[in-house]
Amino acid sequence: MRDLAPRLPSSPGFWRSPLRGPWFTSVLGLVLLVGITVLFVTGLLSYAAYNPNLAPVNDKTPDKGVLGFYLFAWPTDPPWLYRLTQGVHVTLGLVLIPVLLAKLWSVVPRLFTLPPVRSLAHALERVSLLLLVGGALFEFATGVLNIQLDYLFPGSFYPLHFYGAWVFFGAFVAHAVLKVPTALRNLRAMRDEREEREERAERVERDEREERDDLVSPRPAAPTVSRRGALWFVGGGSLLMFATSAGRGFDGPLRATAVLSPHGGPEPGSGPNGFQINKTAAHVGIDPAETREDTWRLVVTGRAGTVRLSRADLLAMEQHSAALPIACVEGWSTSDQWWRGVRLRDLAALVGHGDDPPDVFVESLQRRGAFRRGALRANQVADPRSLLALYVNGEELSPDHGHPARIIVPAAPGVLNTKWVARMTFGDLG
Ligand SMILES: Nc1nc2c(c(=O)[nH]1)N[C@H]1C(S)=C(S)[C@@H](COP(=O)(O)O)O[C@H]1N2
Ligand SMILES: [Mo]
């Protein structure tokens, strides 16, 4: 009866591509098994790097509860750590999009199988598939939207992507435990023909309805491409994503190859301040009158009280240099820039924290927008390369790079490198 109505997606005869079958699905599934595991781990690392325990300033998911079990003090070494982990997270996420789409395409007949629920076990399996497919689409969609500079989920991106990741990964682990043995068997079977014949007979015997029947079309159309060719097509798509994305982790000509990476503010151009700018001073409403030599003051507070410092006061302090990159959650990063300014721990010492620098809460001149404040942990303040930078690459910071002063910390996500700093409060954070 079902085959008499092949126009309905629920009838097996409706799906006619001869490409569908256990081998194609298994290859893509195993690629996703490795890739998505790396995405999950780098994603959790990215969350840790935000210092979410410095509540309430950095904590974007106040109710994370047990999901925060693994959080640790993000190190300052190696200085390119976040550049690497987040570059991998974003680039790999983009590279896996063609693989994910092909995988979903390869199993789409299963979404329509009738009856929708055959038993309790089958019902549970279908619910877990819903979480798996829905979770994958949700995580990839929110991730892609978030790297488009304009943060379509301002503020709420972090909890959504974070909780979504746990729901999705739970379903993913359950799915992997159930399917990996099948996938490996399918691949081995394809390699060894003799074994394949035995396997096939065995499989048909074991469960007629399982693998083969719902993936392999009972009335396949003539092939227009081999399965291997189709895999090359998917791989080519991934390669294209890689070639047009990976350059976002570099400056100069390589960056120009990242055509898929949104180029936010003005093109950075060349010269000392010629590296990526996320948000310009004009865009976030920095009033030039407030950054002038005679008006701008840095207010630093600690247990010994409050001091107000002009730029000249800061320049009179001991100056230090550090070569550090900026690495954004969006996956773009700069090469090392040569920063020069005052050590954060010297500023801590100035207000009574000479021996053991505590956490610091940093506020910008900026009055609106998401990233006008942030907090750094004690280990970040203590690092001698953590600076309140006044110069970059031998020149004064440009207005768009945070003039008169910006934070720069080794290995920290770019969002913690606050620009146009106005106030720093040491101690008394979470
Ligand atoms: N005041 C302020 N500081 C800020 C931001 C901001 O929007 N406002 N953006 C942050 C983010 S998300 C990043 S990645 C870096 C970008 O630095 P750049 O624009 O100098 O390259 O600055 C950070 N500092
Ligand atoms: Mo960022």
Side-chain angles (χ1 to χ4, degrees):
M1 207 266 266
R2 288 164 75 190
D3 273 349
L4 288 181
R7 276 197 199 115
L8 289 180
S10 54
S11 60
F14 178 87
W15 305 97
R16 303 202 51 195
S17 172
L19 292 177
R20 284 201 185 86
W23 184 77
F24 194 61
T25 295
S26 299
V27 173
L28 298 170
L30 290 173
V31 172
L32 288 176
L33 174 70
V34 176
I36 285 180
T37 302
V38 174
L39 279 187
F40 186 64
V41 170
T42 50
L44 291 187
L45 289 179
S46 178
Y47 187 63
Y50 269 71
N51 298 345
N53 278 346
L54 295 185
V57 193
N58 293 22
D59 196 349
K60 307 291 202 291
T61 54
D63 301 319
K64 62 185 176 298
V66 291
L67 297 186
F69 72 92
Y70 73 95
L71 293 176
F72 55 98
W74 188 250
T76 53
D77 264 304
W80 40 261
L81 184 60
Y82 191 73
R83 194 178 174 202
L84 177 73
T85 60
Q86 196 60 5
V88 167
H89 186 72
V90 170
T91 306
L92 181 61
L94 291 170
V95 162
L96 288 180
I97 288 174
V99 184
L100 178 72
L101 294 179
K103 173 72 163 62
L104 292 178
W105 173 87
S106 80
V107 294
V108 78
R110 277 195 192 148
L111 287 185
F112 295 93
T113 44
L114 285 179
V117 170
R118 278 189 241 117
S119 62
L120 183 63
H122 188 229
L124 287 177
E125 195 200 316
R126 298 214 62 162
V127 168
S128 84
L129 281 184
L130 197 73
L131 294 176
L132 185 74
V133 175
L137 293 175
F138 180 81
E139 287 302 285
F140 277 80
T142 50
V144 166
L145 288 174
N146 192 55
I147 59 176
Q148 305 308 312
L149 288 180
D150 262 337
Y151 295 88
L152 282 163
F153 295 98
S156 59
F157 167 76
Y158 298 90
L160 287 177
H161 202 65
F162 181 71
Y163 294 133
W166 280 103
V167 171
F168 166 62
F169 202 71
F172 181 77
V173 167
H175 185 72
V177 167
L178 286 173
K179 298 292 186 181
V180 163
T182 317
L184 290 176
R185 202 170 54 227
N186 287 336
L187 288 197
R188 238 182 284 119
M190 289 307 283
R191 234 176 268 141
D192 185 334
E193 254 188 62
R194 191 177 50 104
E195 197 184 333
E196 183 197 13
R197 252 178 276 121
E198 285 168 15
E199 281 281 332
R200 195 185 280 152
E202 198 188 302
R203 193 184 297 117
V204 168
E205 230 174 88
R206 198 172 42 234
D207 187 349
E208 284 231 303
R209 266 198 314 249
E210 214 203 358
E211 288 311 313
R212 207 149 264 277
D213 268 326
D214 61 352
L215 285 182
V216 174
S217 175
R219 48 191 287 271
T224 51
V225 59
S226 71
R227 278 186 310 199
R228 242 161 236 287
L231 266 197
W232 278 111
F233 181 70
V234 176
S238 288
L239 206 62
L240 193 68
M241 294 303 277
F242 182 81
T244 52
S245 305
R248 71 176 68 210
F250 304 90
D251 305 329
L254 266 180
R255 183 165 175 75
T257 65
V259 292
L260 276 189
S261 179
H263 292 224
E267 282 305 311
S270 53
N273 277 280
F275 55 97
Q276 160 96 6
I277 295 156
N278 213 17
K279 300 266 161 43
T280 64
H283 182 86
V284 300
I286 298 296
D287 179 358
E290 289 186 275
T291 63
R292 286 201 326 255
E293 195 74 53
D294 56 329
T295 52
W296 181 80
R297 293 293 178 271
L298 175 71
V299 180
V300 186
T301 303
R303 65 179 160 212
T306 296
V307 296
R308 291 166 54 84
L309 304 168
S310 67
R311 206 178 135 100
D313 295 332
L314 289 169
L315 285 169
M317 292 174 68
E318 206 176 309
Q319 303 292 300
H320 296 272
S321 300
L324 299 171
I326 287 184
C328 180
V329 64
E330 295 161 7
W332 64 261
S333 53
T334 71
S335 313
D336 285 356
Q337 312 295 332
W338 190 65
W339 307 92
R340 193 162 173 78
V342 178
R343 280 181 176 158
L344 298 188
R345 68 181 193 195
D346 290 351
L347 288 168
L350 212 57
V351 289
H353 302 276
D355 29 358
D356 54 336
D359 304 337
V360 65
F361 174 41
V362 182
E363 294 165 275
S364 169
L365 277 177
Q366 187 183 336
R367 290 197 183 81
R368 53 185 162 82
F371 308 127
R372 61 186 194 278
R373 36 193 233 141
L376 298 166
R377 250 195 336 263
N379 67 314
Q380 293 171 316
V381 174
D383 194 293
R385 296 161 299 177
S386 296
L387 302 177
L388 180 71
L390 307 168
Y391 287 85
V392 66
N393 301 322
E395 252 186 32
E396 278 201 20
L397 289 175
S398 68
D400 290 338
H401 279 306
H403 181 88
R406 91 171 297 166
I407 300 285
I408 186 81
V409 171
V415 62
L416 297 179
N417 296 325
T418 309
K419 304 197 271 190
W420 314 290
V421 176
R423 190 183 295 269
M424 297 174 70
T425 310
F426 288 93
D428 282 340
L429 282 157

